[in-house]
Amino acid sequence: VDISMVLYQNVTCDTEQVWLHFDAQADQELFFQVGVPVLERLSDYRPSLALIAEDLPPLEDVPFDVPEGYGGLLFDAESQPMDFYEPFTQTESWIWIEEFYTLPTSGNAWLVAYHPEHLTGKVWVAMGTIEDFSDVTPADWTSWVTQLADFHETDGERDVTEQSCVEE
């Protein structure tokens, strides 16, 4: 959990959550963030995050099934996001959640990002603080930069309207 990694997700009605699994170690400090690209249509897009692990309180009122025997903690978006500029990819994001948490027990754990109002959009989930690109090839970099530019719509914001996934 110390090595920095990030998952990017286009949130759709078919894929409403981002699940990041990791092996927790008791008393290990976990750093995580949740953000969205700086796009006008996402300026009010406030994701939430659940940390799921053993020995955490029961987790209720979430829009997904919690694995049996696990509990969790909920983290909601701050009232104002932090601006974040990533110099290598030249992308901008709003960070809505940034936390450090010391895990109580070892075992399977997950970070689950979602929108509490079931809205489509875009979200990324990051964990870890140590940057390690020792096994990355030039082809990996090229592919990542292209994918991140598309995710952040650096060539111009798409004509997309976010929608609710809740049937009325």
Side-chain angles (χ1 to χ4, degrees):
V1 299
D2 294 332
I3 302 296
S4 178
M5 66 174 61
V6 61
L7 295 177
Y8 298 89
Q9 181 71 47
N10 288 307
V11 178
T12 67
C13 292
D14 292 329
T15 310
E16 288 192 62
Q17 303 103 32
V18 179
W19 286 72
L20 179 78
H21 172 262
F22 60 97
D23 295 320
Q25 299 299 316
D27 300 321
Q28 184 175 34
E29 187 173 62
L30 173 68
F31 171 76
F32 53 91
Q33 297 174 312
V34 178
V36 300
V38 172
L39 299 169
E40 181 59 35
R41 73 175 187 273
L42 298 177
S43 62
D44 291 324
Y45 194 82
R46 289 173 168 75
S48 291
L49 180 117
L51 169 61
I52 298 173
E54 293 181 306
D55 293 334
L56 292 179
L59 189 59
E60 299 174 4
D61 298 324
V62 291
F64 51 84
D65 293 329
V66 176
E68 189 172 330
Y70 288 81
L73 300 172
L74 292 179
F75 300 87
D76 292 319
E78 298 291 329
S79 59
Q80 292 295 316
M82 291 181 289
D83 293 329
F84 175 70
Y85 176 73
E86 207 301 306
F88 180 76
T89 60
Q90 299 182 11
T91 57
E92 296 179 89
S93 292
W94 290 304
I95 297 175
W96 285 102
I97 299 169
E98 181 174 276
E99 296 285 340
F100 284 93
Y101 182 77
T102 301
L103 300 160
T105 58
S106 298
N108 289 315
W110 295 266
L111 294 174
V112 184
Y114 62 98
H115 194 283
E117 296 173 11
H118 302 275
L119 297 178
T120 60
K122 294 183 178 205
V123 66
W124 55 259
V125 179
M127 66 185 298
T129 58
I130 298 171
E131 300 287 344
D132 180 2
F133 298 105
S134 59
D135 63 346
V136 177
T137 68
D140 291 333
W141 282 115
T142 302
S143 173
W144 292 347
V145 169
T146 301
Q147 291 174 30
L148 289 174
D150 182 59
F151 182 81
H152 285 82
E153 302 178 22
T154 58
D155 62 346
E157 190 167 335
R158 314 287 191 270
D159 185 18
V160 174
T161 302
E162 304 312 330
Q163 64 183 21
S164 173
C165 298
V166 177
E167 293 183 26
E168 297 182 26

